[in-house]
Structure formats: structure tokens, C-alpha cells
Amino acid sequence: MLKRRIIPCLDIRDGRTVKGINFVNIIDAGDPVALARSYAEQGADELVFLDITATIEKRKAFAGLVERIAAEINIPFTVGGGINNVDDVAVLIKAGADKITINSSAVKRPDLIKEIASEFGSQCVVVAIDTKFTEDGWKVFVNGGRMITPFKTVPWAKKAEELGAGEILLTSMNTDGTKSGFSLDITAEVSRKVNIPVIASGGAGTMQHFRDVFFNTGCSAALAASIFHFGEINIQDLKKYLKSENIAVR
Amino acid sequence: MIAIVKYNAGNIRSVQNAVSRLGFESRITDDPAELMSAEKVIFPGVGEAGSAMAYLRKSGLDRIIPEIKVPVLGICLGLQLLCRHSEESDTECLGVFDADVKLFPPVDKIPHMGWNDFITVKGKLFKNVSKDDNVYYVHSYYAEISSQTTATCEYIVPFSAAMNRNNFHATQFHPEKSALVGETILRNFLQL
């Protein structure tokens, strides 16, 4: 049976992991490769690395990090941050990334999805959608959630699929950072309306939150950052718990 | 020397990384002489069957690959290209395996993406691997089950997770991305 996936997300700035961690077995907590290896050993199914470096010069160094990750990590990984065109993607894929993720740049120019998919295949295009519930329903936000767009979430997800996205990474801004659980309604709706895998993101605080999003929605994977980084939830323990709740995990 | 077939399909670098993590040297090449003189050949691939076959024909690799006498490992699209025919762009393939490649019926999410276990496993590639072990898949097309199928998996329909005919081995999943289980399978191949 196909398993639901658990995906830790690492924010990278200037080649280092941004958020602190307390794992005893990691000597250099800021080294993304050491952290990634530790997650892989705990049973993470995939990894996401988001480059939040502000300058273009430093962003180029990100490809070097991607090469190190690809050399050492034996599970699939996605990278994103600052991808605006096919050339940006080519650098990262060549460095060894399995998938790339785009967000604002896809909203600004939806054909970018098609261009990347036709060059590298749909399987490597993860379209990230930041969404928030407004008086006008669930809307798409860009620029790190700072700017609202005219797009409604479900039609945009469907459009992304149509253009060749291989996966949707759906982050609910209503729950992101709150540790109050994933937004089940929009996750369920997007998962139902598209025929590509959906990764739920935003709001994970407890192991039960993962169980709830898998039990109540058709999402294929769940992503979280801080609860893994700070050691609040160990991935191995999380998977043991999900198995005991009859959720199919590796 | 392990030769990794170079053609217009992605994922070649990660295969080379995985081989080197296991302590083997490899070379990415499309030179027929190098492919024919290698100890083993890996035929990887993520991409589209039609354009991949067109490229192989243009470079003459379509005639070279079926003639290789040393152990060959096709991965993902590599497995599909070793079959007879693919529904993807209605493509004639290399015909090493007596099976056709079909599109998953759209009754569940496509691609089949993520970790899945086996229904059955047998053969040298799966030494120390159990049917309950999980490996990583990303594909929208699948090879039907034939007499050359050595491992089966089920997603929407049962399909060939791995195939073998003489010196030709192939996996639909990505051993290079399948953590320790994948390493075991890749090592089994490299030690054939």
C-alpha cells in the first residue's frame, strides 16, 4: 500500500539551517546536511530545503549545498526559494535536487510551471500555495504571505495541475506557526479537487495533528518544520504512533 | 568500472552518488565502446518515453543497449524503455522484456508517488529484502506483469516493480532514493 509521507522542512540562510535544534547526536546544529542526515535516519520520507537568503549572490552558493545534500542523503529531496526561470531550475537539478518548488513566481507567471515541467518532467515540479481564509473564502497569498492575490485557492491548485505541476504543497497561513493543527477543510478540498498528490503544511503541533490530517483529508504527505527542529516530535515516534492509529506509513 | 548510460533523462547524478556511497566508481557515458567494456551498466531515467527513445535512436544507443552482455540495471523510465512498447507518446521501446507499458487508470492520484511495499519479491536483486520493505516510486506509467517480472507492487493495479531477463535487471522504483532498502538492492546488483 502507498504510504503517507512525513516531510521535515529546513529553512536555509547563507547555507546554514536557520532554526535551532537540540538533537544530541548532531555536533553542528546549523549544518543542513547533518540535520538532513539525522532526519533521514529517523525515517523522514522526503526533505524540503527552502533557501531564504536575501541576495542573489549568496543564492548561487545554495547550489553548492544542494550538491552536498545530494551526495550524502539517500531519500528524495525538494529545494526552493528564489526560482524565477528554467535556468534557476537547471542549476538545482544538475546539482542533484529531485524536485524544485515554486510559489510567488508561479502566481506571477503561471506558464513557468509548464516550462519547467516540459523541460524536467512534472514529477519535479512542486507548486507551493500559501493560502488564508478571508471574507472572500480561501485566497492565495504571495511574497511570503505578505501579499494577497486575486486567485482563489482551489481554482489555482487546479490550474497548477493543468499546467503540469506534479504535486501541491499547501500551507495554511491561518494555522502556520500556531501549533493548533492543520487546516483540515481546505486541505481536504484541494486534495479532492486535484488528481496529483497534496502535501499538507502549517499548524503541526502534536502527533495527533498528523493523524487528523491523514484521517480526515486525502493529502499524501504532511510537512512540518519547527516541531522537528526543536526535537518536540521525533519522526520515529511519530510514525510508530501513526501506525498504531492505522495510518499507513513507512 | 560501472557505466551509467548518459542520455536526455534526469536523475543520473543521484544514481552516481548512490553508487559512490556504496564504494564503487562509475562513469556517466554514452560512448558505445565504454558501455560494452564496462563491468556493469546502469540505465537510469526520469523523463518522457518518446523523447528518450528518439534520443537513443539518434545516438545509436537503441542498438547498443540490447547487445550489452554484462549485468544491466534499468531504473524507472529505464525499466519502461526495456519493455516492448509504451503508451506514453505511443512509443516503440527496446523490447528486452516481453511486456507493455501502460498509463495508470485515473481512479486515484497520478503519479504513483511515494513509498510502497511489495506484493511479491524474488531473485538475486532482492537478497535480504522482504516484501514488507518500502521503496520510493515516482511514475505515471507502469509495466504490466509478465513472466519476467521478479517483484510486484500494487497501486490502482498490480504492476511490475522489478523485472529480469538474462543479464537485464530493472526496477520501477528508485533504489538510489530508497534509503537503506534501496542501498541493499543496489549493492546486490553491483555484487552480481
Side-chain angles (χ1 to χ4, degrees):
Chain A
M1 182 191 274
L2 182 64
K3 307 301 187 294
R4 306 312 256 291
R5 287 170 281 153
I6 301 294
I7 308 179
C9 176
L10 288 74
D11 285 344
I12 311 292
R13 182 185 289 150
D14 304 342
R16 309 277 294 171
T17 312
V18 172
K19 282 171 182 162
I21 26 99
N22 304 314
F23 294 141
V24 280
N25 55 338
I26 295 182
I27 296 163
D28 178 0
D31 178 17
V33 181
L35 184 54
R37 194 185 306 119
S38 151
Y39 285 144
E41 282 164 9
Q42 284 179 39
D45 296 304
E46 273 185 55
L47 298 165
V48 172
F49 298 86
L50 290 182
D51 184 25
I52 56 171
T53 301
T55 65
I56 290 164
E57 291 72 41
K58 285 185 174 161
R59 189 155 274 150
K60 281 178 187 152
F62 186 57
L65 174 64
V66 171
E67 260 180 52
R68 279 184 58 216
I69 297 163
E72 298 199 33
I73 302 301
N74 60 9
I75 57 172
F77 70 98
T78 302
V79 299
I83 294 172
N84 289 309
N85 53 53
V86 171
D87 290 346
D88 293 340
V89 176
V91 169
L92 297 169
I93 296 281
K94 199 165 163 252
D98 297 293
K99 310 176 191 179
I100 58 85
T101 177
I102 48 176
N103 189 336
S104 308
S105 56
V107 174
K108 281 171 201 148
R109 204 168 63 78
D111 273 349
L112 179 60
I113 300 170
K114 199 195 280 179
E115 290 165 18
I116 300 171
S118 63
E119 184 80 21
F120 303 99
S122 282
Q123 84 292 331
C124 88
V125 189
V126 181
V127 172
I129 302 176
D130 291 339
T131 184
K132 190 173 168 183
F133 190 73
T134 68
E135 53 192 23
D136 198 16
W138 285 96
K139 299 292 290 276
V140 177
F141 283 68
V142 292
N143 296 351
R146 289 187 295 273
M147 194 203 279
I148 191 168
T149 73
F151 291 104
K152 292 199 173 208
T153 304
V154 172
W156 169 235
K158 288 178 69 132
K159 171 97 175 157
E161 175 184 24
E162 222 178 273
L163 288 168
E167 236 173 336
I168 301 284
L169 166 53
L170 183 71
T171 301
S172 163
M173 294 164 56
N174 294 72
T175 53
D176 198 27
T178 65
K179 295 190 179 179
S180 59
F182 295 93
S183 283
L184 300 180
D185 51 353
I186 188 65
T187 305
E189 197 184 349
V190 173
S191 302
R192 218 173 24 242
K193 297 281 171 63
V194 298
N195 199 36
I196 51 177
V198 173
I199 304 165
S201 157
T206 67
M207 296 206 280
Q208 198 187 332
H209 292 153
F210 287 90
R211 179 250 173 219
D212 291 346
V213 79
F214 287 136
F215 189 81
N216 293 302
T217 83
C219 73
S220 302
L223 175 142
S226 55
I227 52 152
F228 296 137
H229 302 327
F230 293 105
E232 291 165 42
I233 292 181
N234 174 284
I235 294 168
Q236 217 166 349
D237 296 341
L238 172 60
K239 290 193 146 182
K240 235 178 258 172
Y241 163 78
L242 290 172
K243 272 182 199 167
S244 76
E245 292 288 320
N246 291 320
I247 305 289
V249 289
R250 178 169 70 103
Chain B
M1 177 65 68
I2 311 295
I4 300 172
V5 181
K6 179 182 170 186
Y7 66 115
N8 68 334
N11 196 38
I12 284 174
R13 183 71 174 275
S14 54
V15 172
Q16 188 171 37
N17 281 331
V19 168
S20 99
R21 280 197 293 271
L22 292 171
F24 291 82
E25 276 186 49
S26 62
R27 207 181 165 94
I28 296 172
T29 179
D30 57 2
D31 174 24
E34 261 187 328
L35 290 174
M36 294 309 271
S37 64
E39 289 160 47
K40 298 206 168 62
V41 175
I42 299 179
F43 181 38
V46 167
E48 194 270 321
S51 57
M53 272 311 297
Y55 182 93
L56 292 178
R57 277 195 199 96
K58 207 175 100 194
S59 58
L61 289 173
D62 64 321
R63 292 187 309 278
I64 301 291
I65 291 167
E67 293 302 317
I68 295 173
K69 302 292 179 239
V70 297
V72 176
L73 178 65
I75 297 174
C76 194
L77 180 65
L79 175 145
Q80 299 181 2
L81 297 180
L82 289 169
C83 290
R84 278 185 309 228
H85 176 269
S86 174
E87 280 184 3
E88 190 173 23
S89 308
D90 188 14
T91 305
E92 283 307 318
C93 298
L94 299 170
V96 170
F97 298 131
D98 300 317
D100 291 331
V101 175
K102 298 178 169 171
L103 179 64
F104 280 118
V107 295
D108 202 341
K109 295 194 177 291
I110 298 174
H112 172 219
M113 181 186 281
W115 298 78
N116 208 332
D117 54 3
F118 300 97
I119 307 297
T120 59
V121 279
K122 66 175 184 197
K124 290 177 190 162
L125 233 47
F126 295 97
K127 191 178 145 199
N128 298 323
V129 176
S130 111
K131 72 181 185 56
D132 297 324
D133 285 326
N134 289 282
V135 288
Y136 186 81
Y137 291 88
V138 186
H139 60 125
S140 301
Y141 294 80
Y142 67 95
E144 57 182 7
I145 291 172
S146 83
S147 60
Q148 291 141 355
T149 299
T150 54
T152 54
C153 175
E154 184 164 4
Y155 182 72
I156 303 178
V157 294
F159 66 88
S160 291
M163 305 184 82
N164 170 228
R165 180 181 189 180
N166 303 324
N167 57 317
F168 287 89
H169 304 261
T171 63
Q172 179 59 64
F173 55 87
H174 288 276
E176 77 281 11
K177 288 288 162 186
S178 295
L180 295 177
V181 176
E183 284 182 8
T184 301
I185 293 165
L186 206 49
R187 193 183 295 111
N188 287 340
F189 170 74
L190 294 169
Q191 291 175 346
L192 278 178

